[in-house]
Amino acid sequence: MGPRDLTSGVTASGRRMSEQWAASVTGGRPRVVGGERPASVRKRLVAAFALSVVTLVAVAAVAVALAVRFQECGGGDEEEEAGGPPGTDRPSGGRGERVSAAEEEEPWRRSRLPDAVRPRHYDLNVAVHMDNFTFSGDVGIDVECLKATRFIVLHADRLEVSSVAVTAKRPGGGAVRVQRHFAFPANQMLVLVLHRELRASRTYRLDVTFEAAIEDELLGFFRSSYGLGGQRRYLAVTQFSPTHARKAFPCFDEPAFKATFSLSLRHHARYTSLSNMPALEDAAGEDAAGEDGWTTRRFARTPPMSTYYLAWAVCDFASRETSTEGGVTIRLLARPDAIASGAGDYALHITKRLLAFYQDFFKVAYALPKLDLLAVPKHPYAAMENWGLSVFVEQKILLDAQVSSASYQMELTMVVVHEICHQWFGDLVTPLWWEDVWLKEGFAHYFEYVGTDFLFPKWNMEKQRFLTDVLHEVMLLDGLSSSHPISQEVRDAADIDRVFDWIAYKKGAALIRMLANVMGQRLFRKGLNDYLLSHMYGNAARDDLWKKLSEAMRSEGRDIDVGAVMDRWTLQMGYPVVTISKNPAGQLATRYISVSQEHFLYGQDGGRGNSSFQWQVPLTVAVGNGSRVSSETLIWIHNKTESHVMSEMDDKTWLLGNINQTGYFRVNYDLQNWKLLIEQLHADPQVISVANRAGLIDDAFNLARAGYLPQGVPLQLMAYLPEEASFLPWHAASRALYQLDKLLDRTDDYNLFSDYVLKQVATRYHQMGWPSNAVNGEGGVLQAAYQTEELQRELIMLACSFGNKQCHRQAVAYISDWISSNKNRIPPNIRDVVYCTGVSLMDEDVWEFIWMKFHSSNAVSEKKILLEALTCSDNAFLLNRLLNLSLTSELVAEQDAIDVIIHVGRNPRGRNLAWRFFRDKWDVLDARYGEALFMNSKLISGVTEFLNTEKELDELKEFIRSSGEGAGPAMPRALEIVKGNVRWHRLHRRHLYQWLRKGPVRRSPPGDVSLAA
């Protein structure tokens, strides 16, 4: 049965009033008294009775008229504008909790849409007025009634709704009277109260007309601009994910309400328009206001899809196109000058290859006849995977081969790979609800590395760069007590925004990678194929994925309940630290190892995290000695502590866990095993795989930071780096060293640390030297020895950052040559390092030169590193000037202003300036970025992660108390990180400096490695 029949506008007191009316009318009837009466009495009684009847009828008529009038008027306009039916109680919070009686009667009070009706098709017509940045439209929605109801509740936000109508879609159906409609802003809903119930199993047509502004805030239907030939040109584009389609048209804006869409766009003919599907026709003519030169473009009907994947754009861009062997048209649209320069050709080329790759990998064809890639000047995210119309911010899709570095090309490549994967995981099969957003984001993030390996096998991304850029990075976040499960309950709109974080993206990717390695690639691909085929054009939840992967395993006799294993990883926050040791307490033979697991947490100083947390851990273990390492053994760890049989071991045999870092956990050892591993790295690092060398560095540093190991262990381990010839361990070491650097860079003994780093870097830095000045054309970049280029860049960055004099001289020479010759001969792969070093060492004129080049450059990759270089100055006046200029959108794009503030904060000379600027401008920053998912979180964490004094901690607490309580989970996480920084100084800084004063032991004989402190 549907919601209780409730007439809009009748309050609780109003219903009691109606009951009193009925009681008074009923109570007014005379009782019939038995016995005969004289005739006169009877006449008087008859007359009195007749009068009473007339009075009763009159009173009843008045009561009914008043009730109807009360229903229709709804108590006045003022209450309607307040956001709900007049006289009803306001929402009392607790949205998304158990449905209350009021929510049953008034379903618009729930944070989720009711399930009485669901959309099947939208006919959407939008007129776009670029002259005054407004739009108007009408939408006809075919809805199916699933339960009898008198209410139609859908989403609308910031829309002026001018008319609504409902008709029955059946022969002779006719109109359904809408008693009234109103907005309920608390839940961004539009409510229609009908005169009679809609009947279950029947279809109806809902028609709504509306209008709104084309906003300048990067969400919904927003505007952007660019300069060309001295003119400012405008475009308008949509960003509907996760909950912003409702800003552009009334709709059922939840993922499960999939429907088909037929869209038409009307705009001035000097613009073009595009949407998810190909255009059917263009009809030139006059618009309703009589203005000439307008055109209407109609687009083909979409397959069933969620509202947040609908997209359109109105712009004057140019395009390039190609097509696949299967006939799919691929276009890239961008500023005319970017297209003319060929900046979009690279992305177009790899997209064609990627569509073929994914179709082969998933064994499911791409579902649409075309795919457009739209490069826009500003966007809240790197990109958005709208089905058939993916939108990218220019920096993530336009490549100028003359000035772009290999690292920039790698980043751009991975963004494109990510978005194309979403055409299957997200667009074709959509998570049922936001709690499982990692089902699409985790897969797309994992396939960034798999797909990039397909394009460029020599880059070896999935087996190497994935470790430092995904696994190590997300474990920093997931080791905090403020972390959360990857699948978390989502109740209201604020919760939806919070699930889009690196836990969903990066932890999701890491867990998928772990599962793929346990299953094996063939069975993993089989399970994914079944999952996509079973749920295509529909929705799915995590249990649907686990079911298909379990079926794939059982098809080959491997009876593993994937859901039972993975629920521990997805429904619990954090991850375990697995400790492996030989011969526990000398009680067992040397073939046994002891394995224990516990919840890893920073800030516990080696103590326990949540003792109730337990995981099913697929632990791979190998044993080794000075010359060889055994093949790995897979051990499933189910309990807190277990013993397992291994091959024979002696005192010189070391254990190594989590082979190639395929598992999502840290590995610790007893101190003797750490000594043996360190001795192996110093003697012959190649015996241990490159992935495990990087893993040992990352685990040792983070175990020490959390108090599980002495501070000397990671520092002694890294003393082998002069022998390291591979990029990945250096990259892992660099990330760890920068984590320490931000803790130490304002301490009195900082030179001890910087000298230690320079000693590790010096030998390899001088061996590798600086790159030649050869320009990286497309072929040069693609075919280059990527790992060698990146290692060279990493060493130069470490050398210049920590004060190597020769590195400084080389950087200054490059900048001086550029200024004197006006020819930039700096190799693209190290321009960011050289620019930053030059600005930090040279005078104000160099800063002004870089500022001028930033404004004159048309290459988006070059503009990015020029802007970041300006933050490297030691001049407080220039840094303050840059901070203030960053909020002028005509000078600095809105998405880039965040990077300016963060990078000033990374500069020890600018840290206090950025922190003060952040607090002073918080209202402006929060208004600009508050709704944009990652942006606010990125800003908060970027500015606060470098704070590490008691004074700064107190300032952060005060700021949160006075201003930042509404900023979501980013603030509590920032507070925990800063508390951890302060705690580290109190507990560990002295021990670290003690070890540095003593220095590392080089090539020590067995047993002489010092791990103290």
Side-chain angles (χ1 to χ4, degrees), residues 83-120:
T88 57
D89 297 330
R90 294 292 182 90
S92 58
R95 290 179 353 201
E97 297 175 355
R98 184 174 298 173
V99 176
S100 66
E103 290 171 336
E104 286 287 358
E105 296 173 348
E106 301 172 345
W108 51 88
R109 294 190 177 280
R110 306 176 203 168
S111 60
R112 298 281 299 274
L113 292 176
D115 58 1
V117 299
R118 67 177 298 117
R120 295 303 182 191

Side-chain angles (χ1 to χ4, degrees), residues 567-580:
D567 278 351
R568 295 288 185 94
W569 296 95
T570 59
L571 301 180
Q572 292 179 158
M573 62 173 276
Y575 55 86
V577 51
V578 176
T579 302
I580 309 172

Side-chain angles (χ1 to χ4, degrees), residues 400-568:
D400 188 328
Q402 301 299 310
V403 299
S404 297
S405 65
S407 58
Y408 178 85
Q409 184 203 11
M410 182 199 74
E411 183 180 1
L412 183 153
T413 300
M414 296 176 73
V415 171
V416 176
V417 174
H418 181 109
E419 303 310 321
I420 304 307
C421 179
H422 271 315
Q423 304 296 309
W424 284 265
F425 284 91
D427 296 343
L428 184 65
V429 179
T430 310
L432 184 64
W433 183 237
W434 299 109
E435 64 191 8
D436 283 330
V437 72
W438 69 270
L439 277 179
K440 71 185 186 77
E441 297 301 348
F443 270 102
H445 205 58
Y446 170 65
F447 275 99
E448 283 182 30
Y449 296 82
V450 177
T452 302
D453 275 345
F454 162 75
L455 295 172
F456 309 115
K458 292 181 180 179
W459 289 11
N460 206 14
M461 299 293 289
E462 189 270 334
K463 288 183 170 58
Q464 293 198 19
R465 197 65 184 254
F466 185 96
L467 305 184
T468 51
D469 295 4
V470 179
L471 184 65
H472 297 172
E473 184 170 327
V474 74
M475 291 177 91
L476 288 171
L477 290 176
D478 208 19
L480 299 172
S481 60
S482 55
S483 185
H484 59 80
I486 193 172
S487 291
Q488 55 179 325
E489 186 176 9
V490 174
R491 293 180 174 177
D492 57 27
D495 291 331
I496 293 172
D497 290 345
R498 291 170 187 174
V499 300
F500 285 86
D501 64 3
W502 285 135
I503 299 295
Y505 283 66
K506 293 182 181 288
K507 183 175 181 177
L511 294 181
I512 290 164
R513 178 175 178 264
M514 179 173 72
L515 185 55
N517 277 277
V518 169
M519 293 181 66
Q521 283 296 320
R522 188 172 56 81
L523 289 180
F524 180 64
R525 291 173 68 167
K526 173 179 170 54
L528 294 188
N529 172 253
D530 290 345
Y531 169 78
L532 290 171
L533 289 176
S534 298
H535 300 285
M536 59 195 307
Y537 303 111
N539 300 87
R542 61 182 176 274
D543 286 343
D544 298 312
L545 176 64
W546 304 150
K547 178 182 176 183
K548 293 302 178 182
L549 294 178
S550 295
E551 289 174 358
M553 297 282 277
R554 285 194 294 270
S555 70
E556 297 210 352
R558 298 173 63 185
D559 191 14
I560 295 179
D561 185 343
V562 173
V565 173
M566 296 306 295
D567 278 351
R568 295 288 185 94

Side-chain angles (χ1 to χ4, degrees), residues 156 220 224 311 349 451 509 706 809 827 945:
S224 181
H349 167 71
R809 286 194 297 271
E945 67 176 335

